[in-house]
Amino acid sequence: MLKKVFGSAVFGVEATTITVEVNVDIGIGYHLVGLPDNAIKESNFRIAAALQNNGFKIPGKKIIINMSPADLRKEGSAYDLTLAIGILAATNQIQAEDLEDFLIMGELSLDGSLQPIKGALPIAIKAKEEGFKGFILPIQNTKEAAIVSGLNVYGVENIEQVINYFDKGEALEQTIINVEEEFNKSLNFPEFDFSDVKGQESIKRCMEIAAAGGHNIILIGPPGAGKTMLAKRLPSILPPMTLHEALETTKIHSVVGRVKENTGLMAQRPFRSPHHTISNVALVGGGSYPQPGEISLSHNGVLFLDELPEFKREVLEVMRQPLEDREVTISRAKFTVTYPSSFMLVASMNPSPSGYFNDPDSPVTSSPAEMQRYLSKISGPLLDRIDIHIEVTPVPFEKLSDTRKGESSIDIRKRVTAARVLQTKRFEDSNTVHYNAQMNTKQIRKYCLLDDTSMQLLKTAMERLNLSARAYDRILKVSRTIADLEGSEDINGSHISEAIQYRSLDREGWLG
């Protein structure tokens, strides 16, 4: 007897429906075909034990299972439940009339209980597209899958519930969540708040500008000046995610199984902080069976690279193209996957190997040759993609011991959001540009017009501070954001002069 059950495979951030055909014939043997990996090949042991512990068995007949399309590689243990229900239905151990209306996924334990799966959200989106009536999956993944409206999502704890549903008509509990409510729940309660930071007013201002225009930023300063503390609070002042952004971000995290059980939808912008020993595959994504890397996991959020010169140079270089294109394409002989990677890069570094550059009180100093070797680890083309360079100085004792609270993240975010609204309106005709940092040369010439006084100021600064030609566009972009924060239509001299201050690494004496 032949039975069909449906599962799903995830490639990139999209799912493909897999038809599991179970055929039972005279003879003995268990044959699993259709390019399964080792985890799927081992499933027959898990299935046999789970069925036996629940009063069923794999009969001693010839069972052939085909996972179609047969030329597409299948991987992972999420097909256990699909295969088990297919075997029970094909061997007439259960009656399953409406089996083809459901998509079934789950990893089995030996006692029949279910373990969570990866990629529940993209699978649910595909199930709805293909007109399935329901999606049966482990209870741990239900909130994630229930984000998709118009699809009945049933969370189960063990195989017995699924068997009773198809064989005895016992109802399964449907999971329904209010997406808007889920989305708004954690918007105004940031984990880290700018009110915790003592002093550093100029750096907070810099962070506000970076958040308002989506600019990449690098913080340069000695150990203990507060670079990491400031960077961790940046997501709290970024504009709230739109529902579309939240779905996009949740989808990527779902593929790698990083969505928390109690939160179906990711409402907070991601903050990723990889260690400097990271490999280039782990950073941009890839592997023999491609997975998203850190730059894709920080999509719509912040990627924080602490101690930038400590990262291997080739690792930083592979990030150059994704920074420009805002997506990363991984090609293999048989297929190509593209992951979105539109993130804000926040980097921090000590100004010298000892960390105390130009500090006369420092116990350790570095020679000019050591300084140059240290700073040359960061290439010009990478710095070219960082709009704001700012020096962070240690906080004096008076500020540290001050008991007054600083401005909260929610107040700063109101100004940032107002500036982003202006930018959204400005770029409403463009599909690729949404905020100032994404402007191309043509848009810079159109939206960053300067009067004669401002132009003269910029010319003088470039000559006197020996600013590079690449700093020119960056200064114009940042000054446009400063003007937006003030609600000003035109860029004036004060906006330009403030933007010039944020190009520390372009000045003579930093990078040769």
Side-chain angles (χ1 to χ4, degrees), residues 353-366:
S354 67
Y356 301 95
F357 173 58
N358 281 354
D359 184 351
D361 303 324
S362 163
V364 186
T365 53
S366 304

Side-chain angles (χ1 to χ4, degrees), residues 221-457:
K227 303 185 296 292
T228 307
M229 188 180 189
L230 285 156
K232 280 188 174 172
R233 280 152 182 75
L234 183 62
S236 69
I237 62 168
L238 286 170
M241 282 209 279
T242 61
L243 198 52
H244 173 71
E245 283 178 327
L247 275 166
E248 219 176 23
T249 308
T250 309
K251 207 172 171 184
I252 298 165
H253 284 251
S254 173
V255 168
V256 287
R258 296 266 173 87
V259 179
K260 291 174 188 166
E261 269 181 49
N262 55 352
T263 56
L265 193 67
M266 289 179 65
Q268 298 280 12
R269 290 185 182 273
F271 178 87
R272 307 290 301 177
S273 178
H275 192 257
H276 64 256
T277 53
I278 192 170
S279 68
N280 42 17
V281 169
L283 186 69
V284 298
S288 47
Y289 308 115
Q291 287 277 297
E294 288 292 334
I295 62 170
S296 296
L297 291 172
S298 54
H299 180 62
N300 291 324
V302 174
L303 177 70
F304 176 47
L305 301 183
D306 202 1
E307 303 306 337
L308 193 67
E310 300 298 339
F311 283 80
K312 292 196 284 287
R313 187 168 174 136
E314 79 236 29
V315 171
L316 296 177
E317 294 309 295
V318 293
M319 205 167 58
R320 274 159 49 179
Q321 193 186 354
L323 270 171
E324 204 70 33
D325 299 343
R326 302 194 175 268
E327 63 177 29
V328 59
T329 302
I330 294 152
S331 299
R332 294 289 174 267
K334 289 187 178 178
F335 59 90
T336 299
V337 295
T338 299
Y339 296 113
S341 62
S342 180
F343 59 91
M344 255 184 84
L345 174 66
V346 181
S348 78
M349 60 181 277
N350 294 326
S352 63
S354 67
Y356 301 95
F357 173 58
N358 281 354
D359 184 351
D361 303 324
S362 163
V364 186
T365 53
S366 304
S367 69
E370 284 176 321
M371 282 278 307
Q372 199 54 51
R373 192 162 57 247
Y374 182 71
L375 292 171
S376 66
K377 289 184 180 180
I378 308 162
S379 71
L382 180 65
L383 277 177
D384 187 26
R385 289 160 173 81
I386 300 176
D387 300 353
I388 298 175
H389 313 154
I390 189 75
E391 290 176 60
V392 184
T393 51
V395 183
F397 178 76
E398 294 73 37
K399 291 272 179 73
L400 275 178
S401 55
D402 193 349
T403 53
R404 284 175 300 178
K405 279 259 185 187
E407 192 176 19
S408 75
S409 289
I410 291 170
D411 292 335
I412 300 171
R413 188 164 69 184
K414 283 174 188 165
R415 296 196 294 272
V416 169
T417 307
R420 281 281 181 106
V421 168
L422 290 175
Q423 293 166 50
T424 304
K425 200 173 177 185
R426 181 181 300 138
F427 304 120
E428 61 189 352
D429 296 334
S430 171
N431 293 328
T432 51
V433 179
H434 305 292
Y435 42 85
N436 291 338
Q438 297 174 326
M439 279 194 286
N440 57 33
T441 312
K442 190 178 172 185
Q443 286 158 331
I444 291 171
R445 301 290 171 266
K446 184 178 177 183
Y447 297 116
C448 303
L449 299 171
L450 302 183
D451 56 31
D452 293 341
T453 319
S454 303
M455 189 60 86
Q456 191 57 45
L457 176 68

Side-chain angles (χ1 to χ4, degrees), residues 4 25 27 54 87 93 105 152 159-160 164 170 185 192 222 238 256 367 385 414 443 447 451 471 506:
K4 289 185 181 179
D25 209 344
N54 284 276
I87 291 167
Q93 293 183 71
M105 296 290 282
N152 296 341
I159 192 170
E160 192 179 5
N164 290 345
E170 285 183 17
K185 209 188 301 177
F192 299 107
L238 286 170
V256 287
S367 69
R385 289 160 173 81
K414 283 174 188 165
Q443 286 158 331
Y447 297 116
D451 56 31
D506 281 325

Side-chain angles (χ1 to χ4, degrees), residues 34-79:
L35 286 187
D37 72 349
N38 283 337
I40 303 172
K41 286 175 185 169
E42 291 170 351
S43 66
N44 62 323
F45 299 108
R46 290 192 295 274
I47 292 166
L51 293 182
Q52 192 174 358
N53 288 325
N54 284 276
F56 296 90
K57 62 177 182 178
I58 296 180
K61 292 185 178 180
K62 187 178 182 181
I63 298 173
I64 300 170
I65 301 172
N66 177 41
M67 303 180 83
S68 167
D71 61 344
L72 202 68
R73 187 170 176 82
K74 329 294 182 306
E75 55 184 57
S77 51
Y79 299 98

